[in-house]
Amino acid sequence: MVDKNRVLLEVNNLKVSFDTYAGEVQAVRGVTFHVNKGETLAIVGESGCGKSVTSQSIMKLIPMPPGRIKEGSIKFDGRELTKLTDKQMESVRGSEIGMIFQDPMTSLNPTMKVGKQIMEGLIKHQKLNKKEAKEKAIEMLKLVGIPTPEKRVDQYPHEFSGGMRQRAMIAIALACNPKLLIADEPTTALDVTIQAQILDLMRDLQEKLDTAIILITHDLGVVADIANRVAVMYAGVIVETGTLDEIFYNPQHPYTWGLLQSVPRLDTKNKERLVPIEGTPPDLFSPPKGCPFAARCEHAMRICKEEFPEKTQVSDNHYVHCWLQHEMAPKVENPVAERREG
Amino acid sequence: MATKDLSNAKDLIQVKNLKKYFNVGRGSVLKAVDDISFSIKEGETLGLVGESGCGKSTTGRTIIRLYEATGGEVIFDGMNVHKLNKKEMKKYTREAQMIFQDPYASLNPRMTVADIIGEGIDIHGLYKGKERQKRIYELLEIVGLNREHANRFPHEFSGGQRQRIGIARALAIEPKFIVCDEPISALDVSIQAQVVNLLIDLQKEFGLTYLFIAHDLSMVKHISDRIAVMYLGSIMELTESHELYENPLHPYTKALLSAIPIPDPEVERNRKRIILEGDVPSPIDPPPGCKFQSRCNMCDDICRKETPKLKEVKPGHFVACHKVK
């Protein structure tokens, strides 16, 4: 059920490829999802599954060439982003969509004062003068919880700790009050105690500013902590999407089962052996024509290797691409739902 | 795994008041490891956890003697590791091996897999010719690769496979003790479980002793018998792994455990989190007293004056805190 009035971003059948000497890498192979106003959508998946490429295509940050958007549409707030010129895109980037990157050490400019990096967007997009912009920058630093912002605003990134740099990144991303914030592994490079601080901050700011968030991560703990809806990606396609509870308590795709079972949990007492997903993800130079997970799936049937499964609706907001949903498929016990009841 | 009975096992390694300081110029000293003591029993896995910069990797490297100790000693099976001469050192390196964090940086890109694994065998002169090759094939199969991989180069492998090569290299000379320095941090979740299962299987089969260093506490709990929590170069708490999670006593351990998100939405919704203020302070010229004082909400006068000693508050449960009685 897609409520048209609430939808902020709609991505439809997006395909992104990179042309390399070795051939075409099909990084994203037909991805469809939407983000509602004010909600948090988590995109989870392993490295190389195309989750970062998806988010970078929304911002048009893919280097072209070698990258190119082959097909599909990205509709943001009624506008088609794939059709915008570079110039037009500049007014969207930073002003209507903000982005936080994984590595706060390398994504800030080391030769510019932190305050100036926040002011840049304010001066360009909101046409503030220098003095106003600096005041606003101090206000933003205060908002993200940096002590003595009046002093910090004139310091360089190397004078900040890792957690504070990530806070500064968030301040830059949110300075122009964007409607959408894309956070690409925002806490992966941070320690757990600092991660808890940053997640808390993001949740807080979302409440205050009503920003929608796309959170890209591989950490299911972080997802459970902060997301409203989840999309599970594998080898360039979304294999399952649903609300947080549906994905964690009633997942339907064997890959989602595998992900949930392969992480040990702190609060379980019995020392069960981990259930790993055997094998490795497929090569995206020549992706399999059927379901990409078939080679690692213990329930794989002949059809799985032949044809990519259609989208099946499980409930209102829960969709899955898997042949096990077909009426002719054998019944397979859901190991995650079962473990929970057991 | 953690269910095995180690009460009768003897200590394989004793670390006594180990210190490792680095000079960072201008007369400043970085105390990466500051007076820590613990022991590891034969066949045991000791987990060492803490945030980045707390000195856990330095501890592992000093035990293996990749670094010379500034003070204190490491006793391995009766040998004082940091007093060994060159010849004795060669003997020690046969007993103690290391698996590194980054499988991309720790394998020589110009050597074939067979040569990487065979290097230790050659140095110690264990096998020659046909036997050497047989041993290499055997090792590849033990870690879940196959003999066709022997003549390839590291760049032809994925991260998880490279970590398996690193494990095969460590196993090649039949060590008793392996320091695993964040062996899974660089791997994807689904691959992490494969490598952890492999390490557990190898321990059972060869009776290995592990020092398992990591910052991922849920994985450490899974593999370790006992866990030591480090902060700024000191051990804050040391006890059996289930005891640490069920009954943490040090305020830092409590905060650390509560900061870890659990992959279960319902648990997350009902959880109250202790959020620590601020960052880990610099280990260069730290103030006197407890290392955790700047972020602790129970901090008192005594905490600012005296460094708490690691003391046994319950059988087998050690804590370094003035406030825990």
Side-chain angles (χ1 to χ4, degrees):
Chain A
M1 215 171 48
V2 180
D3 179 359
K4 286 279 174 230
N5 297 324
R6 293 286 300 154
V7 173
L8 180 67
L9 176 83
E10 227 180 327
V11 176
N12 231 319
N13 196 30
L14 180 73
K15 292 185 182 168
V16 186
S17 281
F18 292 87
D19 296 310
T20 67
Y21 287 117
E24 179 191 347
V25 183
Q26 303 175 30
V28 176
R29 306 185 296 133
V31 159
T32 302
F33 67 91
H34 70 276
V35 182
N36 293 329
K37 286 175 184 152
E39 77 164 352
T40 303
L41 171 78
I43 302 181
V44 283
E46 296 173 77
S47 45
C49 74
K51 51 193 197 303
S52 290
V53 174
T54 305
S55 66
Q56 284 168 13
S57 334
I58 296 169
M59 285 290 259
K60 281 215 180 164
L61 286 175
I62 303 277
M64 300 190 201
R68 64 194 151 95
I69 295 177
K70 273 170 71 183
E71 244 185 273
S73 78
I74 302 169
K75 229 181 226 152
F76 174 74
D77 214 14
R79 255 175 312 163
E80 177 59 51
L81 294 187
T82 51
K83 300 252 158 57
L84 295 188
T85 61
D86 284 355
K87 193 99 195 153
Q88 288 169 315
M89 199 58 212
E90 271 175 25
S91 68
V92 176
R93 230 183 261 140
S95 137
E96 289 176 67
I97 309 179
M99 190 153 182
I100 312 172
F101 300 90
Q102 171 171 355
D103 191 351
M105 315 287 165
T106 53
S107 38
L108 289 171
N109 186 340
T111 65
M112 265 169 89
K113 286 176 182 164
V114 171
K116 202 163 175 213
Q117 299 189 49
I118 304 174
M119 286 156 62
E120 236 187 356
L122 291 165
I123 292 169
K124 183 158 173 49
H125 298 299
Q126 302 204 331
K127 312 281 179 261
L128 300 183
N129 65 35
K130 264 195 173 156
K131 196 166 157 253
E132 290 164 342
K134 190 162 183 183
E135 272 164 27
K136 175 88 190 191
I138 293 172
E139 197 184 302
M140 286 310 297
L141 285 177
K142 202 166 165 187
L143 184 71
V144 296
I146 289 183
T148 57
E150 305 80 19
K151 218 174 92 196
R152 291 291 186 175
V153 80
D154 285 323
Q155 287 186 339
Y156 288 93
H158 75 265
E159 297 171 85
F160 280 44
S161 71
M164 272 161 56
R165 280 180 223 185
Q166 199 57 294
R167 285 171 191 267
M169 282 279 295
I170 295 175
I172 295 171
L174 292 178
C176 294
N177 217 342
K179 295 179 189 128
L180 176 67
L181 177 70
I182 300 175
D184 189 353
E185 308 252 11
T187 57
T188 309
L190 306 174
D191 280 312
V192 271
T193 58
I194 310 296
Q195 167 172 292
Q197 292 174 1
I198 297 290
L199 291 178
D200 218 47
L201 172 69
M202 283 173 61
R203 209 185 346 246
D204 235 43
L205 293 175
Q206 183 172 37
E207 258 168 50
K208 272 189 208 146
L209 310 171
D210 197 33
T211 320
I213 299 178
I214 298 180
L215 175 78
I216 292 166
T217 180
H218 63 266
D219 187 333
L220 291 166
V222 172
V223 174
D225 189 13
I226 193 171
N228 304 111
R229 281 192 311 122
V230 184
V232 182
M233 261 189 103
Y234 187 76
V237 289
I238 290 180
V239 292
E240 184 166 9
T241 107
T243 63
L244 183 63
D245 285 24
E246 281 166 334
I247 294 293
F248 277 84
Y249 298 141
N250 188 25
Q252 295 297 320
H253 199 284
Y255 178 62
T256 317
W257 299 343
L259 273 186
L260 288 167
Q261 284 180 299
S262 60
V263 285
R265 289 181 36 172
L266 272 185
D267 55 342
T268 45
K269 285 197 185 95
N270 53 331
K271 303 246 167 187
E272 48 194 322
R273 201 184 144 87
L274 297 177
V275 189
I277 309 175
E278 296 299 342
T280 45
D283 191 349
L284 292 176
F285 278 114
S286 50
K289 62 176 174 176
C291 170
F293 190 59
R296 297 171 81 185
C297 180
E298 57 176 318
H299 309 293
M301 300 169 284
R302 215 187 315 152
I303 182 93
C304 299
K305 298 195 172 76
E306 302 287 325
E307 223 178 295
F308 186 70
E310 281 298 305
K311 188 158 159 178
T312 322
Q313 185 162 19
V314 183
S315 68
D316 276 358
N317 286 309
H318 190 177
Y319 298 92
V320 62
H321 289 270
C322 180
W323 281 114
L324 290 177
Q325 300 295 321
H326 195 273
E327 52 187 14
M328 280 164 67
K331 277 268 163 287
V332 170
E333 278 174 69
N334 184 335
V336 176
E338 201 186 332
R339 183 168 74 160
R340 186 171 151 74
E341 276 150 29
Chain B
M1 254 187 298
T3 41
K4 59 187 176 266
D5 182 27
L6 291 163
S7 44
N8 294 324
K10 68 176 174 70
D11 285 346
L12 182 67
I13 291 178
Q14 286 166 300
V15 175
K16 291 179 189 161
N17 305 94
L18 188 69
K19 290 183 187 124
K20 177 66 201 171
Y21 299 167
F22 294 99
N23 277 321
V24 287
R26 291 182 198 147
S28 291
V29 177
L30 188 155
K31 297 184 174 176
V33 176
D34 197 10
D35 198 354
I36 63 170
S37 305
F38 59 86
S39 61
I40 311 176
K41 290 190 165 121
E42 220 167 339
E44 184 186 42
T45 302
L46 179 74
L48 196 55
V49 296
E51 297 177 89
S52 46
C54 72
K56 53 193 193 302
S57 287
T58 308
T59 306
R61 286 169 166 254
T62 314
I63 290 175
I64 288 285
R65 206 177 162 186
L66 286 176
Y67 293 143
E68 294 298 329
T70 309
E73 51 191 21
V74 177
I75 310 287
F76 180 91
D77 216 2
M79 296 185 275
N80 189 338
V81 172
H82 290 271
K83 292 260 157 63
L84 300 177
N85 62 30
K86 218 171 166 188
K87 212 169 144 202
E88 292 163 325
M89 211 31 221
K90 194 169 158 187
K91 234 167 93 193
Y92 176 59
T93 52
R94 237 206 103 173
E95 310 260 13
Q97 281 290 309
M98 188 150 179
I99 301 168
F100 296 90
Q101 170 170 6
D102 186 349
Y104 293 86
S106 56
L107 302 176
N108 187 336
R110 306 172 81 167
M111 281 164 81
T112 63
V113 170
D115 288 335
I116 288 170
I117 298 174
E119 199 176 12
I121 297 176
D122 297 342
I123 289 171
H124 294 281
L126 302 180
Y127 301 96
K128 292 240 155 59
K130 275 240 160 64
E131 290 227 309
R132 173 180 183 269
Q133 191 161 24
K134 214 180 111 207
R135 174 74 183 146
I136 289 166
Y137 288 160
E138 198 180 277
L139 284 161
L140 283 171
E141 272 153 30
I142 289 173
V143 297
L145 298 169
N146 58 52
R147 53 178 63 194
E148 281 93 69
H149 291 138
N151 291 318
R152 296 199 197 160
F153 288 91
H155 75 264
E156 298 173 68
F157 295 91
S158 67
Q161 284 175 318
R162 285 183 210 210
Q163 205 54 291
R164 288 172 191 269
I165 297 169
I167 294 172
R169 171 176 62 185
L171 287 177
I173 50 172
E174 296 149 29
K176 279 191 198 154
F177 171 61
I178 299 181
V179 174
C180 310
D181 188 2
E182 309 231 19
I184 51 166
S185 322
L187 307 175
D188 269 315
V189 239
S190 74
I191 311 293
Q192 285 187 355
Q194 292 177 8
V195 173
V196 165
N197 280 346
L198 173 67
L199 287 171
I200 292 172
D201 291 345
L202 292 173
Q203 178 166 51
K204 273 190 210 145
E205 200 173 328
F206 302 110
L208 296 169
T209 306
Y210 290 144
L211 176 66
F212 193 90
I213 300 168
H215 63 265
D216 176 347
L217 281 97
S218 35
M219 214 36 119
V220 175
K221 181 203 174 195
H222 192 82
I223 193 170
S224 307
D225 300 293
R226 284 186 306 143
I227 296 177
V229 180
M230 272 186 92
Y231 187 80
L232 271 188
S234 303
I235 290 182
M236 295 304 196
E237 189 160 1
L238 170 68
T239 184
E240 283 176 19
S241 59
H242 64 92
E243 169 77 7
L244 187 81
Y245 286 88
E246 280 156 28
N247 190 19
L249 293 176
H250 198 285
Y252 177 62
T253 316
K254 284 182 188 165
L256 196 62
L257 288 175
S258 104
I260 302 162
I262 291 175
D264 187 329
E266 214 157 285
V267 176
E268 278 301 317
R269 276 193 285 268
N270 301 326
R271 217 147 75 108
K272 203 150 162 51
R273 189 156 276 161
I274 310 167
I275 300 224
L276 284 180
E277 298 285 322
D279 291 304
V280 184
S282 158
I284 300 169
D285 305 323
C290 177
K291 299 266 168 80
F292 189 55
Q293 54 176 293
S294 62
R295 296 172 88 190
C296 185
N297 53 8
M298 289 156 64
C299 180
D300 216 334
D301 273 349
I302 182 160
C303 304
R304 291 188 198 98
K305 276 188 211 126
E306 246 178 77
T307 310
K309 291 222 158 43
L310 196 65
K311 55 182 187 279
E312 193 164 12
V313 286
K314 274 204 258 175
H317 195 151
F318 298 83
V319 185
C321 180
H322 291 303
K323 299 284 158 193
V324 177
K325 292 277 164 339

